[in-house]
Amino acid sequence: MNIVNLINALPGACAQGLIWGIMAIGVYITYRILDVADLSVDGTMCTGGAVCIVMMQSGHGVALSMVVATLAGLLAGMVTGLFHTCMGIPAILAGILTQIGLYSVNLKIMGKSNQAISVDKYDLLVSLRYIKNVAFYRNTIFIAALFIIVIIALLYWFFGTELGSGIRATGCNETMANAQGINTNSNKVLGLMISNGLVALASALLSQYQGFADINMGRGAIVIGLAAVIIGEAVFGKIFKNFALQLLAVALGSVLYYIVIQIVLWLGIDADLLKLLQALVVAVFLAIPYWKGKYFNTPRVKKEV
C-alpha cells in the first residue's frame, strides 16, 4: 500500500463528497426538517443526470440543462407529495412508487440505460479532469463548494420566512401546525419538491463529473444521503448549533464519508463489498447516538434538600 496513492485520490474523494453533499442536504430536508421518509431520491438521483446529459447532447448550454434537470427533480418531488397527501399513501410507499415509476421515465429520457458525455466535446461545469492542474475557478472542488455555500444561504433565508417556518412546524408537530391554521399537506409537497430538486441538481453535477448518466447511478443514494446526515451530526453536532451550520455539517459529513470509503478501498478491500461497507458505515453511525445515551451518559442524581 502506497500512501502517495491515497493522497492523490483524496482530492477526487473530496470533490465527489461535495457533489453528494448537495444531495445529502436534500435528504436532510425530508429526514430531519419534514420528518418524512422519502425513498424517491434513488430515482431522482438518475433523473437529474439523465435530463442534463440529454439536453447538453441536444445542443443546450450547461446552465439551462442544469436548471431543467432541477425542475425535473421538483416535479418528481411533487408527484411523491401528491401520492402521500392527496391519495393517502404512506410517505415511504409513495417514495417507492415514484422511484419505480422514474426508472421507466429515466430510460425514456436517455433512450438507453447509459448516456456518456465527453469533456473534450462539451463545455462541462465540473469534471474528473478539473481536479488538478486547472485554474481555481475551474476546479471541481471550488465549484461544488460554491454551490453548497449558495444553497445553504438560500435555504437559511427560505426557512426563516413564514412559508419556510410553516414547513419546519409541519415536521416538528403536524397536529399543532394544523391547529395553528397551517396547510400541512401543501407544506409536505413543497418540502418534498425542494428536497428532490436539490437531489436532481446534485445528479446533474455528478453526471458531468463522472462523464455519463446511468440508469443505476441513483441506486443506494438514500444510504449515502443518510450516512452524510448521520456522520455530520455525530461529528459536528456539538459544535454546529445554527441551522446554516447544521446544513454545512451535512455536506462535510458527505465529504468525510467519501474519504472513509476511499481509505477502505486503499486498504485493499474487495470493491464488490462496497455496498455492504456503505450499509455498515451507516448502521454504525446511526447506532452512535443510541450507544452514547445508553452506555456513556451518566444519569444525574438529584440531591435531597
Side-chain angles (χ1 to χ4, degrees), residues 102-119:
L102 284 175
Y103 187 90
S104 296
V105 172
N106 295 335
L107 278 175
K108 282 296 183 181
I109 291 173
M110 293 190 291
K112 54 182 180 179
S113 62
N114 184 289
Q115 284 285 0
I117 191 165
S118 172
V119 68

Side-chain angles (χ1 to χ4, degrees), residues 48 51 65-75 193 196-198 200-202 204:
V51 171
S65 300
M66 291 180 63
V67 168
V68 176
T70 304
L71 292 175
L74 291 171
L75 184 60
M193 288 177 66
N196 282 273
L198 290 174
L201 174 61

Side-chain angles (χ1 to χ4, degrees), residues 102-223:
L102 284 175
Y103 187 90
S104 296
V105 172
N106 295 335
L107 278 175
K108 282 296 183 181
I109 291 173
M110 293 190 291
K112 54 182 180 179
S113 62
N114 184 289
Q115 284 285 0
I117 191 165
S118 172
V119 68
D120 296 322
K121 296 181 180 179
Y122 298 89
D123 186 21
L124 304 183
L125 186 62
V126 295
S127 172
L128 273 165
R129 294 192 192 176
Y130 298 161
I131 297 294
K132 299 176 182 177
N133 302 321
V134 293
F136 79 94
Y137 56 86
R138 291 290 291 171
N139 191 289
T140 296
I141 295 176
F142 172 77
I143 293 175
L146 190 62
F147 264 91
I148 287 176
I149 291 171
V150 172
I151 288 169
I152 290 175
L154 290 174
L155 290 176
Y156 183 76
W157 166 80
F158 173 74
F159 282 105
T161 64
E162 183 177 352
L163 180 58
S165 297
I167 295 176
R168 297 171 75 175
T170 299
C172 183
N173 191 323
E174 184 176 352
T175 303
M176 181 61 72
N178 272 320
Q180 296 296 321
I182 297 173
N183 190 332
T184 55
N185 283 340
S186 63
N187 283 341
K188 287 181 180 180
V189 174
L190 181 58
L192 286 164
M193 288 177 66
I194 295 172
S195 172
N196 282 273
L198 290 174
V199 172
L201 174 61
S203 175
L205 287 170
L206 181 64
S207 61
Q208 294 177 63
Y209 175 77
Q210 62 190 13
F212 64 90
D214 185 83
I215 192 65
N216 292 316
M217 66 184 288
R219 182 172 293 177
I222 187 64
V223 175

Side-chain angles (χ1 to χ4, degrees), residues 264-288:
V264 167
L265 292 175
W266 172 72
L267 290 173
I269 303 298
D270 188 353
D272 291 341
L273 301 176
L274 185 58
K275 291 294 183 182
L276 175 60
L277 290 171
Q278 290 174 341
L280 290 175
V281 168
V282 177
V284 169
F285 277 96
L286 281 171
I288 286 176

Side-chain angles (χ1 to χ4, degrees), residues 72-88:
L74 291 171
L75 184 60
M78 184 179 70
V79 171
T80 302
L82 293 177
F83 278 162
H84 176 49
T85 58
C86 295
M87 301 177 67

